[in-house]
Each structure stands twice: as structure tokens, then as C-alpha cells.
């Protein structure tokens, strides 16, 4: 298998980072956090600890690779109590597997901050690991669905993905914020390699069970019966436009509300859903690469196509944001063109150049 060593280490790294996120109890997730700025969501101690854990493990194994990650240590340096909390999470959280125990960790608190800031790369040619230590932090704080996300991108192309989903249950119907593992049960770890398929395994804190293949999705019957996922509270997505797309397609069921963007990809790949449409409320919106890298590869390897609202493939070679793309259309390969046509009839964007030089403008 291509990227076999990378997949093995990435799987162990995501397992350990996922364990770190669960070590921060729900009752302390809000208090062990900070607000990045007036417009940004909160970041918890677990976000920082998981990012430090991931980068430390990967940098030791692949010292010439670069990293794009969401968090920065800038505000942490004036929050010594939070630094101590993060350090405690890193140094006391354990996986009962010798292979996971061999993964590198920061040497001390200053090294931890340095490693967190290794995620400030802008990518470019060569190999870059893109990560979101907790995608869906606000849902994580509430005890809902979130994902620990990691993807290897080579020259802008996704090669490998590993996602840890500690709160995901697959035996309670389609994934939602409330389909959580029962007491004593675990979540799931998902992985994919470009051109070789996708797999899943139970996310335990011991030696992981063998991976099992995720089957390609079945043929679509009646398009009106497809299930969609959305984030109703998103301030940057036009959920009214999403409803109009569903009306054009004849989809009558209301979308399932999931805050985490990466968990929407997971919900499509394995969680009983079929379509995700994201039409921004303004032409200048450019989404962060860590919100998509990994999850996108997972759905592509399970029988879906992903484009922007104009039908262009998502370009991960432009730095920390998908600056060449606007919005997303995710649907089974055989009906993607029909969904995209409905999106184009609704979104109202023309393909010009906006005031910031982006290749889109309001029609």
C-alpha cells in the first residue's frame, strides 16, 4: 500500500490526540478555554494539546515535512494557567499500546509552544500535513459531534486522511449531534489513502482493532429520497439557498443539523447522509483548508464527488485557505451534476473578479 508508514503513524497520532480531547471532561471544557478574537469561536486546552501532540509525533517521524494547523500559541503566552493545563493534558494522557507510547512528545512547556507554532506554514510544493485538532470546538464543548482531523497533502493533492470521531455512534440511525456512543462504547477512527479506498475501526485507547473497508455507496434510487446535512447557525453560509436547492431537487426531508464541517463529510461517508451543499453568503468567503482536508478525501474514496459551487475541484495548493474556490457541493458521483446544476440555479454568483482579486463576484 502507498503511504503505509505514514498511515500507521498518522493513525497512532490521531488516536492519541483523540484520547487527549476526551481527557478534558465536559464540565471543564468551557472554563479551560479562551476566545481567539471577537469574531472567532473558543479554543480549549484540548485544541492546543491535541495540536502539539499531532505535530510532535509527525515531526519526529517526518522531519522534512511542513504543517498547516489552526491554532497559534500567541495568546497562550499571556495565559500561564492555561499553558499548565495543556502541559498536564499532554503529559498525563496515555494510550495502552507500546506503539502509541513510542510517539514523540514536546520536551518541556516552551518546546510545546514552539511545536504548536510549527503549524503556521503556508504549505506550497512538497509534503504538508494539514490538521484541525478539534473540528467543531463549539459542539465539543456542548458534548456533541467533533473530529480530530489529519491529512497529508503532497504538492496540493490529498494523499492520506485520518479522522478520529470520539462521539460518533453508527448504530442509532443517521449521524446527528445526539447519536452518541452508549456508556462503555467507543467512537470511530476513519482513514483513507488516495486511490486505495477508505477504512474504519473502533477508536479505543488500547491496541486498535484491524481496519475494515468502508464500502462504496450504493447506487442512488430516487434523488428526492437523499438526506442532506447543514449547519443552521452558520453565519457565513446561506442556509435559505440550501433549502431552495433541495426544493429544486425534490428533496423533502429537512437537513440534519451538524456544526462540525468535517463531521458533515463523515456523515456523508458513513453516517447515513448523502449530500452537503455550502453556498456562502458573500463572494469573498474563502474557507480554511483544515476544515476540508481529510474529510474530502474520505468521501471521494467512498463514491462521492466534491467541487465548489462552479464545479471546480478544490485546490489545496494555495496556502491556508482554499482561495481558488467558493463553497462546496458534495454528492454521489452519479448525481453530482444534477445537484451542481441546482446549486448554480440558486447561488447568484458570477465568475468575474471581485475587489480583492478573487475570481468571483456577485451576479
Amino acid at each position: 500500500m502507498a503511504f503505509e508508514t505514514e498511515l500507521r503513524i498518522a493513525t497512532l497520532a490521531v488516536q492519541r490526540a483523540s484520547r487527549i480531547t476526551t481527557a478534558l471532561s465536559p464540565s471543564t471544557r468551557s472554563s479551560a478555554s479562551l476566545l481567539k478574537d471577537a469574531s472567532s469561536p473558543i479554543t480549549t486546552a484540548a485544541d492546543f494539546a491535541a495540536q502539539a501532540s499531532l505535530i510532535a509525533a509527525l515531526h519526529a517521524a517526518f522531519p522534512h515535512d511542513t504543517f498547516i494547523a489552526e491554532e497559534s500559541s500567541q495568546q497562550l503566552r499571556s495565559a500561564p494557567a492555561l499553558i499548565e493545563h495543556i502541559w498536564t493534558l499532554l503529559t498525563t494522557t496515555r494510550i495502552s499500546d507500546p506503539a502509541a507510547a513510542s510517539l514523540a512528545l514536546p520536551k518541556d512547556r516552551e518546546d510545546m509552544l514552539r511545536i504548536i507554532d510549527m503549524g503556521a506554514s503556508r504549505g506550497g510544493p512538497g509534503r504538508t500535513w494539514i490538521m484541525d485538532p478539534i473540528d467543531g470546538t463549539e459542539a465539543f464543548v456542548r458534548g456533541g459531534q467533533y473530529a480530530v482531523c489529519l491529512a497529508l497533502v503532497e504538492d496540493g493533492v490529498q494523499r492520506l486522511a485520518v479522522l478520529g470521531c470520539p462521539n460518533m455512534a453508527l448504530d442509532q440511525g443517521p449521524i446527528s449531534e445526539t447519536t452518541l456512543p452508549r456508556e462503555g462504547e467507543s467512537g470511530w477512527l476513519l482513514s483513507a489513502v488516495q486511490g486505495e479506498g477508505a477504512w474504519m475501526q473502533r477508536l479505543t485507547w488500547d491496541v486498535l482493532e484491524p481496519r475494515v473497508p468502508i464500502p462504496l455507496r450504493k447506487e442512488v434510487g430516487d434523488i428526492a429520497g437523499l438526506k442532506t446535512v447543514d449547519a443552521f447557525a452558520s453565519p457565513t453560509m446561506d442556509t435559505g439557498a440550501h433549502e431552495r436547492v433541495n426544493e429544486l431537487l425534490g428533496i423533502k426531508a429537512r437537513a440534519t443539523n451538524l456544526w462540525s464541517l468535517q463531521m458533515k463529510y463523515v456523515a456523508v461517508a458513513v453516517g447515513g447522509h448523502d449530500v452537503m451543499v455550502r453556498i456562502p453568503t458573500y463572494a469573498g468567503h474563502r474557507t480554511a483548508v483544515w476544515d476540508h482536508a481529510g474529510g474530502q478525501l474520505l468521501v471521494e474514496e467512498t463514491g462521492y464527488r466534491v467541487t465548489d459551487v462552479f464545479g471546480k475541484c478544490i485546490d489545496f495548493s494555495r496556502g491556508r485557505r482554499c482561495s481558488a474556490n467558493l463553497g462546496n457541493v458534495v454528492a454521489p458521483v452519479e448525481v453530482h451534476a444534477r445537484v451542481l446544476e441546482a446549486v448554480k440555479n440558486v447561488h447568484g454568483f458570477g465568475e468575474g473578479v471581485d475587489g480583492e482579486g478573487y475570481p468571483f463576484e456577485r451576479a
Side-chain angles (χ1 to χ4, degrees):
M1 177 192 295
F3 301 99
E4 186 170 354
T5 298
E6 287 87 345
L7 179 60
R8 177 177 59 81
I9 293 174
T11 297
L12 292 171
V14 169
Q15 179 194 25
R16 184 175 72 178
S18 298
R19 179 69 184 102
I20 286 171
T21 67
T22 66
L24 189 62
S25 67
S27 62
T28 61
R29 289 174 185 175
S30 291
S31 58
S33 64
L34 56 79
L35 186 69
K36 284 187 283 191
D37 59 52
S39 62
S40 296
I42 62 172
T43 303
T44 70
D47 291 79
F48 292 110
Q51 180 166 315
S53 175
L54 288 168
I55 295 178
L58 294 166
H59 179 60
F62 310 109
H64 301 296
D65 293 355
T66 59
F67 304 93
I68 293 177
E70 183 171 8
E71 311 305 342
S72 161
S73 75
Q74 181 177 358
Q75 286 181 279
L76 279 181
R77 294 180 181 276
S78 60
L82 191 54
I83 289 176
E84 197 61 32
H85 199 152
I86 296 164
W87 179 249
T88 299
L89 281 174
L90 268 175
T91 55
T92 62
T93 303
R94 294 287 182 268
I95 298 291
S96 301
D97 176 358
S102 69
L103 297 176
L105 277 170
K107 297 188 294 290
D108 52 39
R109 293 160 182 79
E110 188 58 36
D111 191 43
M112 176 184 75
L113 298 177
R114 180 188 66 83
I115 286 172
I116 289 172
D117 287 338
M118 289 180 68
S121 168
R122 300 199 63 80
R127 293 177 21 138
T128 300
W129 294 89
I130 300 176
M131 67 190 70
D132 192 339
I134 297 180
D135 183 78
T137 301
E138 293 181 54
F140 166 72
V141 169
R142 299 191 302 267
Q145 300 292 349
Y146 69 98
V148 177
C149 309
L150 180 63
L152 175 61
V153 172
E154 188 175 48
D155 298 326
V157 177
Q158 295 177 97
R159 301 298 190 189
L160 175 153
V162 182
L163 291 87
C165 308
N167 280 356
M168 183 173 73
L170 294 176
D171 59 353
Q172 301 173 35
I175 292 174
S176 71
E177 295 288 6
T178 58
T179 52
L180 306 175
R182 298 178 180 89
E183 186 173 355
E185 295 181 348
S186 61
W188 292 87
L189 190 146
L190 311 174
S191 54
V193 174
Q194 184 197 32
E196 301 204 29
W199 305 269
M200 61 194 305
Q201 57 203 127
R202 281 286 188 179
L203 180 56
T204 63
W205 314 134
D206 203 330
V207 178
L208 290 168
E209 299 173 0
R211 297 188 299 268
V212 296
I214 299 172
L216 291 173
R217 73 152 292 130
K218 298 177 181 178
E219 290 186 4
V220 174
D222 181 5
I223 196 170
L226 296 179
K227 296 182 176 66
T228 62
V229 284
D230 209 333
F232 300 146
S234 172
T236 59
M237 293 297 119
D238 189 344
T239 56
H242 301 170
E243 291 179 357
R244 293 194 293 278
V245 169
N246 289 349
E247 290 171 4
L248 286 176
L249 294 170
I251 297 174
K252 295 181 173 56
R254 182 170 170 79
T256 295
N257 186 36
L258 279 174
W259 177 252
S260 164
L261 183 44
Q262 290 276 10
M263 283 302 301
K264 295 184 189 68
Y265 284 112
V266 171
V268 168
V270 300
H273 299 280
D274 308 291
V275 174
M276 176 177 72
V277 168
R278 301 178 69 251
I279 301 174
T281 57
Y282 61 102
H285 180 270
R286 297 296 180 272
T287 191
V289 292
W290 53 76
D291 286 333
H292 301 271
Q296 179 181 314
L297 180 61
L298 181 69
V299 297
E300 290 175 337
E301 290 297 319
T302 52
Y304 294 82
R305 187 178 178 210
V306 183
T307 68
D308 67 8
V309 299
F310 298 108
K312 295 169 57 180
C313 292
I314 308 303
D315 185 351
F316 289 99
S317 70
R318 303 295 187 97
R320 296 175 67 82
R321 294 198 170 269
C322 299
S323 59
N325 300 103
L326 182 68
N328 300 96
V329 178
V330 181
V333 170
E334 65 199 274
V335 298
H336 184 277
R338 289 179 62 186
V339 177
L340 178 61
E341 181 182 8
V343 169
K344 287 181 176 180
N345 285 333
V346 166
H347 65 58
F349 293 105
E351 295 192 72
V353 177
D354 68 17
E356 298 181 28
Y358 293 119
F360 317 115
E361 63 181 6
R362 275 285 184 188

